[in-house]
Amino acid sequence: MDNANADWKQLGSQHDTAGYLHFYQPPKDDLMPAFVVTHPSGAGQKNYKHDPVLISIRDIRHREALFSLDRHSFAAVTRIAPPGLDSTDDETLKQMYALDAVQTIFDNVAGSTKVVVFDKTIRRATPSEALCRPVRKVHIDQTPSAAMLRAEQHLSKFEIQAISAGKTRVRLINVWRPLESTVTDHPLAFAESNSIEEADLVKVKHVYPNLVGETFAVKHNPGQRFCYWSLMTINEALLLQCYDSRAQPDESGHKRCMRCAHASFTPLTVSEKNDNRQSIEVRCLVLAENS
């Protein structure tokens, strides 16, 4: 039995659940999928849609040690929340959590030599927060070309040359954590990287006023394996690896880059009317020597 399936079979708890995840459906008339950003929050308009699919979602609670960035593209860590949670100023919260995210990566991602924060987003499930609500579509934050575009924006030419030469490893890691209380609604589902086939991924252009980025949308495949971390608290954090310049061998021995597809969802046991979740995600470029 391969290691990934062995880990999967060890999962199982009273909080295993099911919910609808929203998967990519192509635009009409064979147009290329695109998302045009019209607001600083990242909101905009798209020419494609997502259809809901009912999925079994396994709980990693009490089995967190089974999973790692290198093998699965995600990791669950315990991390005391930084002080100042009573602040009502979002920019203050973003700065505090950005500093903490950098240290979280240094403490939990072995070999990291430099961490650069390039994006900080607070999301609230309340309907009044129309522009920064939890994202229900299954996606990966950046394609490899978009990840390198981010790297070129924030790293030195020397560092980019070292990455291109294979001397330096660069990863894009999203540090995701609750802002208030325990997450009981709109938790985050995340997929084991090896269960997402390359054929499941669709490049989507993200058109900003000053640049064109690219994300991966995800088509549904029955072989995909999705997990979540039940009842997350403010003293816990998820590390989601959206890009890695170094390929890792999968269960078949083929080398592939670990990347984490993810989305928020509503468990069938939770009312759609519950809108309490508040979370922050801090996206970072993470450098290390390429051993």
Side-chain angles (χ1 to χ4, degrees), residues 46-213:
K46 62 182 185 292
N47 67 347
Y48 57 96
K49 65 178 184 176
H50 293 85
D51 286 345
V53 180
L54 184 60
I55 300 292
S56 296
I57 302 172
R58 308 298 297 271
D59 186 12
I60 67 169
R61 175 68 61 187
H62 305 308
R63 295 161 178 82
E64 295 87 346
L66 290 174
F67 299 96
S68 68
L69 294 176
D70 282 346
R71 287 186 54 215
H72 306 94
S73 74
F74 61 84
V77 302
T78 299
R79 181 81 184 178
I80 299 298
L85 284 179
D86 55 348
S87 173
T88 58
D89 179 58
D90 279 2
E91 290 307 312
T92 299
L93 287 172
K94 288 178 182 179
Q95 293 304 318
M96 290 190 304
Y97 273 91
L99 291 172
D100 187 73
V102 170
Q103 194 58 50
T104 298
I105 290 174
F106 278 127
D107 290 346
N108 292 279
V109 182
S112 299
T113 57
K114 182 175 182 178
V115 178
V116 178
V117 173
F118 68 86
D119 183 71
K120 307 175 286 289
T121 301
I122 291 174
R123 300 194 185 277
R124 296 184 174 94
T126 173
S128 63
E129 196 75 25
L131 296 176
C132 280
R133 301 195 73 216
V135 178
R136 295 166 65 90
K137 63 184 180 183
V138 182
H139 66 287
I140 298 173
D141 291 350
Q142 271 88 15
T143 64
S145 60
M148 286 308 301
L149 178 62
R150 284 290 188 180
E152 290 167 1
Q153 290 177 313
H154 298 281
L155 302 177
S156 69
K157 290 183 179 180
F158 173 80
E159 289 166 328
I160 296 299
Q161 290 172 350
I163 293 168
S164 299
K167 297 179 180 178
T168 295
R169 178 185 188 182
V170 62
R171 290 187 269 189
L172 196 158
I173 296 176
N174 181 342
V175 182
W176 190 101
R177 62 188 302 168
L179 272 179
E180 285 192 13
S181 66
T182 299
V183 176
T184 57
D185 61 275
H186 301 85
L188 198 69
F190 37 91
E192 289 189 58
S193 183
N194 285 333
S195 76
I196 304 292
E197 301 292 341
E198 294 299 320
D200 300 338
L201 302 178
V202 179
K203 293 179 180 179
V204 176
K205 295 293 183 186
H206 269 232
V207 182
Y208 298 89
N210 59 334
L211 61 89
V212 178

Side-chain angles (χ1 to χ4, degrees), residues 226-237:
F226 279 89
C227 304
Y228 83 122
W229 198 7
S230 65
L231 303 175
M232 280 187 70
T233 74
I234 60 173
N235 295 321
E236 295 172 328

